[in-house]
Amino acid sequence: MLGKDGRTLNVKYNGGEKQITLDVHTPVVAYVPGSVSDLKPGVKIIIFAGTKLPDGTIETNRVNFGKDGLTPPM
């Protein structure tokens, strides 16, 4: 869970829990649905390729992209 200040994470795991404070330079992002119109020249993307088709193209069911100049953090 992200704390109210946007920089503190409460991480629960098998056998314990920790509170972690993120550096101010660590990006905190959320995934939200987008549309094809969001994909414009210069937008940074990540494609999780799924199937290579007989014509050599790759089909995917998901494209992640940065918004407002953000580069996807993967």
Side-chain angles (χ1 to χ4, degrees):
M1 184 166 102
L2 193 59
K4 291 180 184 178
D5 65 1
R7 294 283 156 204
T8 304
L9 296 174
N10 294 321
V11 180
K12 293 181 182 181
Y13 55 91
N14 190 14
E17 181 176 348
K18 294 268 184 190
Q19 189 173 69
I20 300 169
T21 302
L22 302 175
D23 181 271
V24 295
H25 301 292
T26 303
V28 177
V29 300
Y31 288 100
V32 296
S35 69
V36 173
S37 65
D38 293 317
L39 300 176
K40 299 174 180 159
V43 171
K44 307 290 187 197
I45 66 170
I46 296 174
I47 297 174
F48 296 89
T51 306
K52 188 171 184 178
L53 302 177
D55 66 358
T57 60
I58 297 173
E59 181 177 76
T60 185
N61 64 356
R62 178 174 62 176
V63 176
N64 293 348
F65 62 92
K67 185 176 177 185
D68 300 327
L70 180 71
T71 299
M74 312 274 184

